[in-house]
Amino acid sequence: MSYVRSNIQAMKGYLPGEQPQGGKFIKLNTNENPYPASNSVIRAIHSTLEQDLIRYPDPMGTAFRIKAAEVLAVEPDWILCGNGSDDILTIVTRAMVGEGDLLRLPFPSYILYKTLAEIQSANSEEIHFTENWELTTEFAAIKPNLKVVFLPNPNSPSGTVVSRESILQLADALPCPLLVDEAYADFAEFNCVDLVKQNEKIMVTRTLSKSYALAGLRFGFLVAQPHIVAELIKAKDSYNCDALSIAGATAAIADQAWLQENRKKVIATRERLEARLADLGFSVQPSQANFVWSTHPDRPLQPLYEGLKSNKILVRYMNYEGWGEGLRISVGTDQQIDACLSVLSTLDK
Ligand SMILES: Cc1ncc(COP(=O)(O)O)c(C=O)c1O
């Protein structure tokens, strides 16, 4: 006999990308930033430690909200802090999607959305992208019990984007909120934060895991109209962000010069990676994120993934049922990417 709800028993559970704890891997599988975070982040964490950790943290992360509001040109009460953006996605699903409700996501995209619906005993529907990674009209369809639509933009694993115009039209057409997951938007040519002001159904999430090089700190946030944020607050853990992460994240978002510098380096390496993969015969999807998705017209990709792994290089191999397989390679340093490409070129022979 199990003491666990039957929907949880029936779930497979979300499987995060491999995080090897030993051995020296070049890690290009979970879209982390290859460079260390801004020095000001480390200083802020140290100075918080010096004040010790006896007290509970600020439940709302006020210091972060004030700084982020300045950077994003909204008011602080438009921002909700989370223990990574995964925490924000959990809060939104918990607050908006009940048993038997429907959550929509594109396919292939971020698998966690489906898991979040399963935890709620809710249903999810995956609407396939077209071959060119565009949305179909089905993605805007009105359905009974449809409670939230998740759209990663840029998408993972493709690195492709849906335009701002399409997002506005989609939000107008939908009967429910549209969460635009901008985990990778700092590497893209545009973002949708200001659209939150135009339509209350649009919510945007961001993470400090990728563009701020702080995946280990766990900090993400949501931008939405204040009456929506006020409701979501009720569904979060009381102290969902710890004192060190609030201090570090506040310092990180304050250092926009670091962000711009880092973004430039990552994009330059991404362009090299795209060009060199194409030279090696891969079909490469032009990316607006910090990773590149590629397929191969005539070579199976799993052996390439395994060949890289036995050379201590970890990339992400994906095989989506009804869609096909591909390799998603995170943008590392130039040196890491050169090592990856050099092994790939030998495996290619
Ligand atoms: C599309 C997307 N959203 C959200 C996340 C989660 O980010 P965080 O580290 O902030 O939980 C990821 C992480 O890989 C992602 O790919």
Side-chain angles (χ1 to χ4, degrees):
M1 191 177 84
S2 173
Y3 300 108
V4 172
R5 287 159 60 213
S6 55
N7 61 308
I8 304 289
Q9 288 184 55
M11 284 172 59
K12 272 207 210 118
Y14 178 71
L15 190 64
E18 280 169 273
Q19 305 296 344
Q21 300 298 316
K24 270 215 164 302
F25 275 91
I26 293 182
K27 206 172 161 302
L28 305 173
N29 67 329
T30 46
N31 305 336
E32 289 132 329
N33 203 298
Y35 302 104
S38 158
N39 285 332
S40 61
V41 173
I42 310 303
R43 280 199 301 273
I45 291 174
H46 274 296
S47 89
T48 306
L49 268 178
E50 276 158 22
Q51 294 154 36
D52 70 48
L53 297 173
I54 293 172
R55 305 278 173 228
Y56 282 105
D58 175 352
M60 291 306 300
T62 310
F64 179 85
R65 291 175 103 193
I66 290 171
K67 207 23 98 182
E70 240 173 77
V71 171
L72 299 168
V74 293
E75 292 300 317
D77 60 354
W78 290 58
I79 292 172
L80 176 67
C81 301
N83 180 27
S85 57
D86 282 351
D87 182 34
I88 297 288
L89 302 172
T90 303
I91 294 167
V92 167
T93 312
R94 196 190 282 157
M96 295 184 171
V97 186
E99 189 174 342
D101 286 340
L102 183 63
L103 176 156
R104 179 177 295 157
L105 62 150
F107 179 86
S109 76
Y110 190 34
I111 301 157
L112 178 75
Y113 306 144
K114 200 174 149 66
T115 308
L116 294 176
E118 287 169 352
I119 294 171
Q120 296 300 104
S121 292
N123 301 311
S124 58
E125 68 169 356
E126 295 175 303
I127 310 289
H128 281 230
F129 277 111
T130 67
E131 261 182 33
N132 300 326
W133 298 96
E134 280 156 5
L135 294 175
T136 60
T137 51
E138 215 189 328
F139 201 72
I142 296 174
K143 287 245 177 102
N145 294 333
L146 179 64
K147 291 297 157 70
V148 75
V149 174
F150 282 179
L151 178 67
N153 207 43
N155 184 47
S156 173
S158 58
T160 51
V161 288
V162 170
S163 72
R164 283 164 55 87
E165 297 70 37
S166 306
I167 283 172
L168 269 179
Q169 281 168 14
L170 185 57
D172 282 342
L174 285 169
C176 65
L178 169 64
L179 184 143
V180 185
D181 178 345
E182 291 197 342
Y184 303 102
D186 284 326
F187 304 107
E189 286 161 9
F190 65 87
N191 66 67
C192 294
V193 160
D194 62 307
L195 300 186
V196 171
K197 294 179 190 164
Q198 292 189 40
N199 188 327
E200 66 168 10
K201 282 186 264 171
I202 299 179
M203 306 184 287
V204 168
T205 56
R206 291 279 179 91
T207 178
L208 273 67
S209 298
K210 319 290 181 180
S211 55
Y212 291 90
L214 290 171
L217 192 69
R218 308 305 299 132
F219 200 93
F221 62 98
L222 169 125
V223 185
Q225 294 201 4
H227 63 284
I228 294 173
V229 171
E231 293 297 329
L232 295 177
I233 288 168
K234 299 179 198 166
K236 80 178 188 72
D237 290 349
S238 321
Y239 305 106
N240 60 330
C241 299
D242 66 75
L244 300 179
S245 78
I246 295 169
T250 307
I253 201 150
D255 195 348
Q256 288 295 301
W258 183 95
L259 177 73
Q260 290 314 322
E261 218 20 62
N262 181 268
R263 173 180 194 273
K264 253 195 257 162
K265 283 193 281 191
V266 169
I267 291 176
T269 309
R270 180 181 78 198
E271 286 168 358
R272 275 189 54 225
L273 172 61
E274 288 174 343
R276 300 271 307 278
L277 283 171
D279 291 345
L280 290 174
F282 287 88
S283 307
V284 180
Q285 185 60 54
S287 170
Q288 292 213 22
N290 66 336
F291 53 83
V292 175
W293 174 251
S294 54
T295 56
H296 202 287
D298 43 48
R299 290 205 57 172
L301 295 174
Q302 192 155 13
L304 295 184
Y305 155 78
E306 276 157 10
L308 284 166
K309 191 170 175 184
S310 60
N311 282 278
K312 294 267 179 227
I313 299 172
L314 263 190
V315 301
R316 194 80 179 251
Y317 167 77
M318 305 281 212
N319 194 351
Y320 294 101
E321 208 183 319
W323 181 272
E325 59 171 11
L327 288 184
R328 194 192 69 188
I329 304 178
S330 307
V331 176
T333 61
D334 280 323
Q335 225 183 359
Q336 291 172 330
I337 292 300
D338 286 346
C340 174
L341 289 163
S342 135
V343 172
L344 265 184
S345 65
T346 59
L347 295 172
D348 214 27
K349 281 182 190 137

